[in-house]
């Protein structure tokens, strides 16, 4: 569908007045408009997100299906927990990364109340997202960018009589500059409040 295009004063061969519609401009006959180029406005495709959890190590409180199945990129394999309310699974990104999103793809055994928590030491966990009204299916979660190596789904109340079960547990980082927040090491630096190696990628 092409709309809202205006042509001014297109006078066709054999006519003394401007054409008023495409038919008068013989747009049905290519012999009258060879070489015409129409340049549509380009709407950029959304940037593809990279799943930072893909094929990373995953650890869970219990497993009726292997925890690795939650991060294998395969939507027909799943991790499942025991049938109790307090269950969790975390993924180790391998290094601390600036992250701002998690996408949970639940099987019918979903979390009604859970938190997304982040950590850099497996001891201190911070909530970056909390819900008590989870509805299963896909939970696409965004949060303020934070630096973390470990990302956990901490279940506190199940949404079914079963446990928690995820086809996939995906983690996303700040787009376009994955180096933001990563540790920068320089051979030397002028250390002052405005100029140091850490300022090279502070966004
Ligand atoms: Ca899977
Ligand atoms: Ca959902």
């Amino acid at each position: 569908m092409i709309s809202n295009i205006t042509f001014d004063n297109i006078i066709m061969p054999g006519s003394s007045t401007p054409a008023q519609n495409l038919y008068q401009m013989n747009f049905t006959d290519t012999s009258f408009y060879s070489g015409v180029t129409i340049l549509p406005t380009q709407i950029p495709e959304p940037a593809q997100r990279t799943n930072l959890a893909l094929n990373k190590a995953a650890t869970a409180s219990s497993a009726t299906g292997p925890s690795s199945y939650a991060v294998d990129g395969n939507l027909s394999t799943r991790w499942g927990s025991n049938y109790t309310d307090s269950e969790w699974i975390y993924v180790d990104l391998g290094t601390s990364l600036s992250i701002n999103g998690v996408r949970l793809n639940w099987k019918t055994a979903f979390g009604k109340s859970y938190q997304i928590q982040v950590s850099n030491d497996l001891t201190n966990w911070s909530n970056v997202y909390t819900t008590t009204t989870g509805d299963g299916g896909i939970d696409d979660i965004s949060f303020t960018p934070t630096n973390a190596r470990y990302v956990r789904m901490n279940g506190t109340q199940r949404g079914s009589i079963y446990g928690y079960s995820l086809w996939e547990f995906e983690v996303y980082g700040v787009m376009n500059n994955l180096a933001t927040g990563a540790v920068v090491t320089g051979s030397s630096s002028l250390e002052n409040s405005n100029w140091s190696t850490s300022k090279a990628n502070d966004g």
Side-chain angles (χ1 to χ4, degrees), residues 110-129:
F110 64 94
K112 182 170 185 293
S113 297
Y114 66 87
Q115 304 86 47
I116 299 299
Q117 303 176 320
V118 298
S119 175
N120 281 301
D121 58 10
L122 290 179
T123 300
N124 300 294
W125 293 91
S126 305
N127 289 348
V128 292
Y129 173 80

Side-chain angles (χ1 to χ4, degrees), residues 21 33 39 73 92 164 178-179:
N21 53 51
Y33 63 93
L39 297 175
D92 177 359
Y164 300 85
L178 288 176

Side-chain angles (χ1 to χ4, degrees), residues 9 13 15 27 43 48 53 66 76 99 104 119 136 143 157 163 183 186 197:
N9 298 319
S15 175
F27 261 72
I43 300 173
Q48 286 290 320
S76 63
I99 61 169
L104 301 176
S119 175
F143 45 86
Q157 186 185 1
V183 175
T197 51

Side-chain angles (χ1 to χ4, degrees), residues 11-182:
I11 298 176
M12 300 304 294
S15 175
S16 59
T17 57
Q20 295 183 355
N21 53 51
L22 292 176
Y23 178 76
Q24 289 179 9
M25 290 163 65
N26 282 313
F27 261 72
T28 57
D29 186 341
T30 56
S31 65
F32 284 94
Y33 63 93
S34 65
V36 170
T37 301
I38 297 175
L39 297 175
T41 300
Q42 295 292 320
I43 300 173
E45 295 274 326
Q48 286 290 320
R49 299 196 299 177
T50 299
N51 174 15
L52 302 174
L54 185 62
N55 295 322
K56 298 291 170 54
T59 305
S61 53
S62 64
T64 58
S67 52
S68 62
Y69 282 4
V71 290
D72 64 356
N74 183 339
L75 294 178
S76 63
T77 58
R78 65 181 181 85
W79 161 74
S81 76
N82 288 342
Y83 295 2
T84 62
D85 278 325
S86 295
E87 300 284 350
W88 47 259
I89 181 171
Y90 72 78
V91 60
D92 177 359
L93 302 178
T95 186
S96 184
L97 297 173
S98 180
I99 61 169
N100 66 351
V102 163
R103 188 173 189 268
L104 301 176
N105 188 336
W106 297 101
K107 195 171 181 286
T108 47
F110 64 94
K112 182 170 185 293
S113 297
Y114 66 87
Q115 304 86 47
I116 299 299
Q117 303 176 320
V118 298
S119 175
N120 281 301
D121 58 10
L122 290 179
T123 300
N124 300 294
W125 293 91
S126 305
N127 289 348
V128 292
Y129 173 80
T130 298
T131 184
T132 57
T133 56
D135 61 358
I138 301 291
D139 288 353
D140 215 343
I141 297 161
S142 297
F143 45 86
T144 303
T146 184
N147 292 333
R149 173 171 173 173
Y150 305 98
V151 187
R152 180 164 73 177
M153 188 291 296
N154 188 54
T156 48
Q157 186 185 1
R158 294 165 292 158
S160 73
I161 60 171
Y162 306 105
Y164 300 85
S165 187
L166 287 165
W167 296 111
E168 284 294 303
F169 181 177
E170 302 170 2
V171 177
Y172 293 99
V174 178
M175 285 195 290
N176 299 326
N177 186 3
L178 288 176
T180 298

